[in-house]
């Protein structure tokens, strides 16, 4: 083990450097240069430039070789994650999300391409460098992965303990992060006595204890009930805002992406299907995989209408229109819509959501109008129109 | 039972306790590192060394396959080298601990292997080195299983120590054979069995209590 051969004096130096980092106030963590005796072991802020917490993938691929043959988990991933953002990676199970996330702290080694953290190729790091990198990257897990034999305090303090931080400092810092995640009264409790949400809070506290610049979330809310999911997600958003750290999360639930992410990447069979700001990808999904993942969030045509729907108009029929808003052309203008469609308009169903200040979703309307006139109306209101069909009118 | 016999019974009890106690401590000290080695050097472990792993595993299997009474005799030269004698309590401790170590190592190995891989991954992600993972993750998480396995080992050793009479080490088992069986003294036989049952029960109950406390956190 390389660590064993490390001279004692040097080890102490590294420990002090970590200790000093630990005592730094929250906001200074990303800006203040870290003090270190050996710059190759702990990067200084100056070395990395201003943008601390960026991740870049360059042609990253991963092939698993086994007796049964080769399995390609990732292929040709080119991506830049900017500092301070909440970046979501979504895909069906087996899409390679987990492998991709784990290449960031080298729990997985890519078989092709490079992964850069703050511009540094992490494949080149030796054991010491890797340990230092992992201390800059926190990680939380679907099943929390807390040590059952240690109390909450010892779980959270473990990353500092193994880094050689003196115990009083550890105590101080553990109190600080437990306070941040809202568990200041649970120091002595063992993980088995905590609820799922509390366990994940401990996991978050443990991940933050080193003042990381990047937080990796591996399906962090998939094992939690909806209410707890929301509270954990809002905690993550708070942390992102307060501490300015980059969050990279993977999930198979679009609702998680919608709730907190700034940007999203849709992964399909190890390749990038689509990527961009969440509101754009959600408002106008271009890839089949994205639509499939979004389908639980989109409602079908109401059944009573769908059952009676006919393809062509007939005397006295009511035309069913769908107006889709992608968020690009502004909010639905109801005034203009009703002016253009005349007085006999009814709203059948509506699902408009607002993501990042962009209204998107769809309206289903019943009108008594020739289709060409309806077209004008849709232009006026900023939506994309589709005639779904015709049903017998109410009268 | 005559007072002399009772005195003999007490002496035999302490002989057994001494033999088993010392051997158990040695098995504990040697078995845990051996078990850790087997787990971390196995394919997929974090210090993969498949060849060495297989070699050590075969040696362990060899010792485990040999009946204790045969091991006791076969190890006599080694015992003499180590203790300077081939009779008495000390002479019994050598084969007893050598036979118990691989047994315990295998049981501890199972507990260590069952530690959730996610915990090891989490430890790696937080910047733990291998020795930290062994110390803070593998051993503490496997502790209840290890304690349970150690209890089984000790009980097995109490049974095996009956054969220590073959090298004149005495103990409860030896007394049962010599007085109870060979001299047809049923009272002594029953008395020895009662003491053995009490001893085994005590060991088992203590082990169980510790495991329960560890698991109840």
């Amino acid at each position: 083990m390389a660590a064993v051969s490390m001279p004692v004096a040097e080890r102490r130096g590294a420990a002090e450097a970590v200790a000093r980092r630990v005592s730094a106030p929250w906001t200074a963590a990303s800006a203040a240069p870290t003090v270190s005796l050996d710059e190759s072991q702990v990067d200084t802020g100056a070395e990395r430039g201003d943008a601390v917490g960026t991740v870049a993938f360059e042609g990253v691929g991963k092939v698993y070789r086994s007796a049964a043959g080769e399995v390609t988990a990732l292929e040709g991933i080119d991506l830049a994650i900017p500092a301070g953002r909440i970046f979501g990676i979504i895909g069906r199970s087996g899409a390679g999300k987990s492998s991709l996330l784990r290449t960031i702290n080298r729990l997985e080694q890519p078989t092709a391409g490079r992964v850069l953290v703050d511009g540094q190729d992490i494949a080149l790091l030796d054991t010491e460098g890797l340990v230092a990198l992992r201390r800059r990257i926190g990680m939380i897990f679907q099943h929390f992965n807390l040590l059952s034999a240690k109390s909450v305090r010892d779980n959270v303090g473990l990353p500092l303990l193994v880094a050689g931080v003196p115990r009083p400092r550890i105590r101080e810092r553990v109190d600080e992060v437990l306070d941040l995640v809202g568990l200041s009264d649970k120091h002595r409790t063992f993980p088995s006595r905590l609820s799922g949400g509390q366990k994940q809070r401990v996991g978050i506290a443990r991940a933050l204890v080193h003042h990381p610049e990047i937080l990796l979330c591996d399906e962090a809310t998939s094992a939690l009930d909806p209410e707890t999911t929301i509270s954990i997600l809002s905690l993550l958003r708070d942390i992102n805002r307060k501490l300015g750290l980059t969050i990279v999360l993977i999930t198979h639930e679009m609702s998680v992406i919608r709730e907190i992410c700034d940007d999203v990447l849709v992964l399909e069979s190890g390749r990038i299907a689509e990527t961009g700001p969440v509101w754009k990808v959600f408002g106008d999904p271009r890839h089949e995989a994205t639509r499939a993942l979004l389908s639980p969030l989109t409602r079908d045509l109401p059944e009573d209408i769908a059952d009676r729907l006919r393809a062509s108009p007939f005397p006295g029929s009511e035309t069913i229109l769908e107006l889709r808003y992608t968020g690009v052309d502004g909010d639905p203008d109801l005034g203009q819509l009703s002016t253009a469609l005349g007085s006999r308009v009814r709203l059948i169903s509506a699902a408009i959501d607002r993501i990042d200040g962009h209204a998107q979703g769809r309206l289903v309307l019943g009108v008594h109008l020739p289709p060409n006139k309806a077209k004008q109306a849709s232009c006026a209101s900023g939506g994309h129109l589709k005639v779904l069909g015709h049903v017998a009118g109410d009268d | 039972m005559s007072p002399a016999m009772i005195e003999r019974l007490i002496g035999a009890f302490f002989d057994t306790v001494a033999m088993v106690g010392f051997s158990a401590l040695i098995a504990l000290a040697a078995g845990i590192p051996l078990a850790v080695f087997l787990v971390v050097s196995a394919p997929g472990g974090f210090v993969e060394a498949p060849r060495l792993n297989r070699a050590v595993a075969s040696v362990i299997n060899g010792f485990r396959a040999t009946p204790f009474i045969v091991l006791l005799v076969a190890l006599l030269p080694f015992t003499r080298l180590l203790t300077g004698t081939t009779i008495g309590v000390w002479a019994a401790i050598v084969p007893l601990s050598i036979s118990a170590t691989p047994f315990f190592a295998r049981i501890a190995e199972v507990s260590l292997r069952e530690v959730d891989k996610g915990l090891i991954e989490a430890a790696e992600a937080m910047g733990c080195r291998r020795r930290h993972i062994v110390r803070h993750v593998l051993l503490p998480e496997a502790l209840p299983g290890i304690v349970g396995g150690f209890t089984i080992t000790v009980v097995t050793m109490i049974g095996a120590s009956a054969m220590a009479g073959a090298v004149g080490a005495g103990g409860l088992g030896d007394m049962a054979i010599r007085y109870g069986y060979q001299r047809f003294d049923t009272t002594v036989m029953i008395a020895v069995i009662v003491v053995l049952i009490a001893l085994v029960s005590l060991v088992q109950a203590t082990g169980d209590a510790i495991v329960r406390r560890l698991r109840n956190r």
Side-chain angles (χ1 to χ4, degrees):
Chain A
M1 233 182 291
V4 177
S5 64
M6 196 177 167
V8 174
E10 205 176 328
R11 222 178 326 176
R12 199 172 297 143
E16 275 165 19
V18 173
R20 257 169 259 157
R21 265 192 100 170
V22 162
S23 63
W26 272 116
T27 45
S30 54
T34 52
V35 188
S36 164
L37 294 183
D38 185 349
E39 298 208 340
S40 71
Q41 283 179 24
V42 184
D43 272 3
T44 61
E47 213 179 320
R48 292 194 299 261
D50 285 333
V52 170
T54 65
V55 181
F57 298 91
E58 292 178 356
V60 168
K62 171 85 189 177
V63 177
Y64 290 99
R65 289 185 180 85
S66 71
E70 293 191 347
V71 181
T72 305
L74 294 171
E75 206 177 345
I77 304 289
D78 285 300
L79 176 73
I81 300 175
R85 303 280 277 184
I86 303 186
F87 193 96
I89 299 170
I90 188 165
R92 288 178 265 216
S93 42
K97 319 180 280 281
S98 177
S99 302
L100 185 59
L101 188 78
R102 280 165 172 69
T103 60
I104 299 173
N105 60 357
R106 237 174 83 183
L107 286 176
E108 290 271 9
Q109 303 258 22
T111 46
R114 306 197 301 163
V115 179
L116 309 172
V117 174
D118 295 333
Q120 185 186 26
D121 184 351
I122 62 167
L124 306 176
L125 296 171
D126 58 2
T127 313
E128 287 307 308
L130 184 61
V131 166
L133 173 83
R134 287 175 174 168
R135 288 177 183 160
R136 282 159 41 203
I137 301 176
M139 188 166 185
I140 59 174
F141 303 86
Q142 177 176 7
H143 298 295
F144 325 120
N145 294 351
L146 302 178
L147 299 171
S148 66
K150 291 190 192 292
S151 66
V152 165
R153 168 180 279 153
D154 291 343
N155 263 286
V156 175
L158 184 59
L160 298 178
L161 187 71
V162 300
V165 176
R167 282 180 195 271
R169 280 265 167 75
I170 296 179
R171 233 186 150 81
E172 225 171 89
R173 179 66 186 141
V174 168
D175 287 350
E176 224 171 273
V177 278
L178 281 178
D179 212 32
L180 183 82
V181 300
L183 283 180
S184 7
D185 55 335
K186 299 280 182 197
H187 289 88
R188 290 165 196 278
T189 315
F190 281 85
S192 60
R193 308 229 182 260
L194 298 175
S195 70
Q198 288 172 328
K199 282 182 193 166
Q200 196 56 288
R201 282 168 192 272
V202 176
I204 292 170
R206 181 176 68 179
L208 293 178
V209 81
H210 262 305
H211 292 287
E213 56 204 51
I214 300 169
L215 178 63
L216 307 179
C217 308
D218 177 13
E219 297 271 9
T221 57
S222 299
L224 302 174
D225 61 61
E227 206 185 325
T228 316
T229 295
I230 289 174
S231 79
I232 292 293
L233 290 179
S234 63
L235 174 64
L236 288 175
R237 190 170 32 209
D238 279 358
I239 288 166
N240 167 260
R241 302 259 157 89
K242 253 192 238 169
L243 314 179
L245 46 60
T246 310
I247 295 182
V248 184
L249 64 85
I250 62 175
T251 179
H252 59 268
E253 292 167 313
M254 272 294 189
S255 55
V256 169
I257 302 277
R258 185 179 57 185
E259 196 68 35
I260 64 165
C261 290
D262 302 311
D263 304 289
V264 63
L265 175 141
V266 182
L267 207 60
E268 174 75 356
S269 314
R271 294 159 179 273
I272 297 179
E274 189 164 357
T275 181
V278 172
W279 68 268
K280 259 193 183 158
V281 174
F282 270 47
D284 190 12
R286 306 203 168 222
H287 196 278
E288 196 42 54
T290 318
R291 278 186 216 122
L293 287 162
L294 274 172
S295 65
L297 296 184
T298 51
R299 244 167 287 157
D300 287 333
L301 196 61
E303 238 173 68
D304 64 312
I305 300 290
D307 287 348
R308 294 188 291 144
L309 206 62
R310 290 204 225 153
S312 47
F314 50 93
S317 68
E318 184 188 20
T319 308
I320 305 298
L321 299 178
E322 181 197 66
L323 275 163
R324 212 165 255 292
Y325 295 88
T326 61
V328 182
D329 310 310
D331 295 347
D333 188 330
L334 293 179
Q336 276 183 327
L337 200 60
S338 69
T339 314
L341 293 177
S343 53
R344 296 182 67 196
V345 185
R346 63 179 178 134
L347 183 57
I348 293 168
S349 87
I352 299 289
D353 205 349
R354 201 170 177 80
I355 302 176
D356 241 357
H358 300 270
Q360 51 189 237
R362 70 167 195 176
L363 301 177
V364 177
L365 303 169
V367 298
H368 294 269
L369 269 183
N372 59 334
K373 269 201 122 175
K375 204 129 216 156
Q376 294 171 0
S378 80
C379 292
S381 72
H384 298 276
L385 175 112
K386 201 165 113 192
V387 175
L388 295 178
H390 309 269
V391 296
D394 292 337
D395 35 24
Chain B
M1 243 179 4
S2 64
M5 203 56 92
I6 289 174
E7 208 166 289
R8 213 168 255 142
L9 186 66
I10 293 170
F13 174 78
F14 284 113
D15 280 347
T16 296
V17 169
M19 270 189 293
V20 173
F22 272 109
S23 311
L25 286 181
I26 294 169
L28 187 69
I32 287 181
L34 205 54
V36 169
F37 170 80
L38 284 173
V39 171
V40 300
S41 68
F46 53 77
V47 201
E48 256 181 272
R51 264 206 212 139
L52 194 57
N53 182 282
R54 266 199 300 277
V56 173
S58 333
V59 173
I60 287 181
N61 288 346
F63 275 105
R64 293 208 48 210
T66 316
F68 179 65
I69 190 79
V70 177
L71 199 68
L72 191 74
V73 179
L75 283 174
L76 281 179
F78 181 68
T79 307
R80 182 180 291 125
L81 190 78
L82 233 55
T83 63
T85 175
T86 55
I87 51 169
V89 171
W90 286 103
I93 286 175
V94 174
L96 210 50
S97 46
I98 286 180
S99 118
T101 300
F103 178 80
F104 173 58
R106 281 296 191 199
I107 297 182
E109 182 197 357
V110 173
S111 304
L112 287 168
R113 211 188 300 134
E114 266 161 24
V115 171
D116 186 354
K117 293 275 174 295
L119 297 182
I120 295 169
E121 191 179 42
E124 286 178 334
M126 71 174 79
C128 283
R129 296 185 171 89
R130 291 162 186 166
R131 62 194 151 98
H132 297 139
I133 295 178
V134 171
R135 196 179 137 201
H136 294 291
V137 182
L138 282 181
L139 289 176
E141 292 297 315
L143 195 59
I146 291 175
V147 172
F150 187 63
T151 310
I152 296 175
T153 308
V154 172
V155 171
T156 309
M157 287 167 88
I158 293 173
S161 73
M163 283 169 256
V167 291
L172 288 167
D174 181 45
M175 193 174 167
I177 291 171
R178 279 199 284 162
Y179 295 87
Y181 178 65
Q182 288 166 350
R183 290 195 193 173
F184 305 102
D185 191 336
T186 315
T187 323
V188 171
M189 183 67 106
I190 290 170
V192 168
I193 290 173
V194 168
V195 174
L196 275 173
I197 290 174
L199 183 60
V200 168
S201 306
L202 182 71
V203 169
Q204 191 66 50
T206 310
D208 288 347
I210 297 173
V211 172
R212 213 174 308 121
R213 268 193 70 173
L214 289 175
R215 284 206 205 281
N216 256 346
R217 295 196 287 209

